[in-house]
Amino acid sequence: MAADAPTRGEPGGVNQRPASAPTAAGVVLASGSGTRVGSAVNKVYLPLGGRRLVSWSLAALGQVPDIGVLVLVTRPQDADLVAEVLDRAESRVAVEVVHGGSSRQESELMALRHLAPRIRSGQVDTVLIHDAARPLVTPELVTRVLRAAREHGGAVPGLPAEDLVTVREQDGAELVEAVAADLVGVQTPQGFASAPLLAAYEQAAREGFAGTDTASCMERFSAVPVRWIPGSRRNFKITYAHDLVVAEQVLADRH
């Protein structure tokens, strides 16, 4: 497992100031490679609207008053790019940097273990995990996810998946069926009560379970209910080069 990287913020990466009330933590995942976008550089550090792509997510989460901790999960080889992003960060919250693992789930676990002392002490009551490849997330959506997660224990934003189909196997062949009316395209941030989330991820690690996203791990190892809330069509994931063009246009339309 990777060791924690140097932290921006207070010594040791832990806020030593006692909190008068529990706070939420925002985790931004930036430790993937994103090869499908067609760049040699990790896609979350590509330019978008005058800044690095990951900067937009950090800024959005950092504007939410109830988020008192920001954790950026990175790769060691991106250290120079990370330093540039943090030097220009506009977040009101200091960003703590953690090295991720070999998979998305292991990277999430690294972030949760980094937060574990504050989770166990009750200082951090809720954790929101967000994919840096969704740079157009808004503080308003983050706030709604956080509110629902605190009320219900878990919350996931999503949209009706009009472009998804179901596939079944028959006689050795895969058959594509009609779109299922109840399918939902899941987005991030996904928010959960922190203690059950940490426990679920530790159990998943012990059992070698790999889920498709945060919610799938919680559904497997926790009784915490997960509430679906409406997401945003602008909160799309940057996967291919064309997605960057669309994102630039969305940002231009905002101004």
Side-chain angles (χ1 to χ4, degrees), residues 2 12 15 18 32 48 66 78 97 118 127-128 138 146-147 152 155 163 171 191-192 203 222 231 244 252:
N15 184 356
L48 175 65
D66 281 1
D78 293 329
V97 179
R118 283 168 282 186
V127 177
L128 273 63
T138 63
L146 176 55
R147 185 182 301 122
H152 303 286
D163 58 346
D171 299 328
F192 297 91
Q203 186 174 352
S222 175
L244 280 170

Side-chain angles (χ1 to χ4, degrees), residues 105 200-201 204 209 211-222:
Q105 185 164 312
Y201 268 72
F209 172 80
T212 55
D213 62 2
T214 316
S216 65
C217 190
M218 287 295 284
E219 290 171 348
R220 175 71 175 265
F221 295 109
S222 175

Side-chain angles (χ1 to χ4, degrees), residues 72-91:
L72 178 62
V73 186
T74 71
R75 305 185 305 176
Q77 59 264 47
D78 293 329
D80 290 344
L81 292 167
V82 172
E84 177 190 328
V85 167
L86 297 186
D87 284 343
R88 301 180 180 182
E90 299 177 3
S91 169

Side-chain angles (χ1 to χ4, degrees), residues 14 112-123:
V14 177
L112 291 171
R113 286 178 174 170
H114 176 76
L115 293 168
R118 283 168 282 186
I119 291 174
R120 295 189 179 109
S121 71
Q123 182 180 350

